[in-house]
Amino acid sequence: MLLFDTHAHYDDDAFAPDRAEVLSALPAAGVALVVDPGCDAASSRAAVALAEQFPHVYAAVGLHPENCHGAGDAELEEIRRLCGHKKVVAIGEIGLDYYWQENPPRDFQREIFRRQLALAGELRLPVIVHDRDAHGDALAIVADYLEVRGVFHCFSGSPEMAAELLKRGWFLGFDGPITYKNARRAPEVAAITPLERMLVETDSPYLAPVPCRGKRNDSRNLPYIVETLARWKGISPEELARCTCENGKRLFGLE
Ligand code: NI
């Protein structure tokens, strides 16, 4: 079973003690490809450095809504510059996060999100969108950039929102929370999402799936997500892994 983890933060401090060891172990564990999305300028540079070091790692670069405090022209120019790197395959992780009180003001998040969507349109790159408790605004804003496509990472919206995004050509990301007991909407969303628009992601080091919930996550836990989603879709894990791997390659332009 060959897997593509389209969202894992190996530049995160949680991997400081053993980053190279974990990343080197992935191909033998069946994880053939990884996309590491940056969250600010420094972590985007770190993601690119990992992509340079490991053949199976690709980078996305961007300013995450939780990490965009004080960002301006200089940071956005840095993201633009990094987009020229041959292993940068997307702009992300970008979006809106209305969950945490201490996040940057919502209007500022929206401005930074819009500027990065405009950049993606200009550079013809896909985007990786983070949308937490901001479904209405996220859906409305991406509608203003009709030429831009990508993935709603760890999708947590309603089936209606999923249907709208699918109609517009977006991919939906499925993560560890689909294995949690309280996952109610996820099976409904999975039911209406065609196989060819699904991606599987770990969001490592966060969101470890059951039975690893609460521990540090890494891409070797992706099979738990694949197995859950395959069961819901009534296909084998191998078939689901194959399809999501192809989808990731298609979205991010990999051969
Ligand atoms: Ni993430």
Side-chain angles (χ1 to χ4, degrees), residues 27-169:
V31 182
L33 292 164
V34 172
V35 171
D36 184 326
C39 295
D40 58 17
S43 99
S44 295
R45 281 192 297 272
V48 170
L50 290 175
E52 283 177 345
Q53 196 183 344
F54 296 93
H56 53 291
V57 177
Y58 288 80
V61 296
L63 309 175
H64 190 290
E66 281 180 55
N67 304 83
C68 69
H69 286 283
D73 292 347
E75 287 74 16
L76 287 156
E77 272 314 305
E78 175 72 351
I79 297 304
R80 174 193 290 274
R81 187 186 68 79
L82 290 169
C83 285
H85 192 283
K86 64 179 191 306
K87 290 199 80 180
V88 170
V89 294
I91 294 185
E93 152 170 17
I94 63 174
L96 303 172
D97 192 312
Y98 294 171
Y99 182 77
W100 301 105
Q101 251 346 291
E102 62 271 30
N103 279 351
R106 293 178 179 188
D107 58 345
F108 185 71
Q109 290 188 35
R110 290 191 287 265
E111 182 198 326
I112 295 295
F113 186 28
R114 283 185 178 279
R115 290 182 72 178
Q116 294 182 96
L117 287 166
L119 182 63
E122 184 194 325
L123 301 179
R124 296 176 181 279
L125 281 170
V127 293
I128 298 170
V129 173
H130 171 103
D131 157 29
R132 188 165 187 198
D133 290 358
H135 303 318
D137 282 357
L139 192 59
I141 287 174
V142 298
D144 287 341
Y145 302 84
L146 283 178
E147 74 284 17
V148 178
R149 292 287 181 278
V151 54
F152 264 64
H153 142 69
C154 195
F155 182 76
S156 59
S158 64
E160 293 73 25
M161 180 179 177
E164 180 59 31
L165 287 169
L166 292 165
K167 197 173 77 188
R168 297 187 203 163

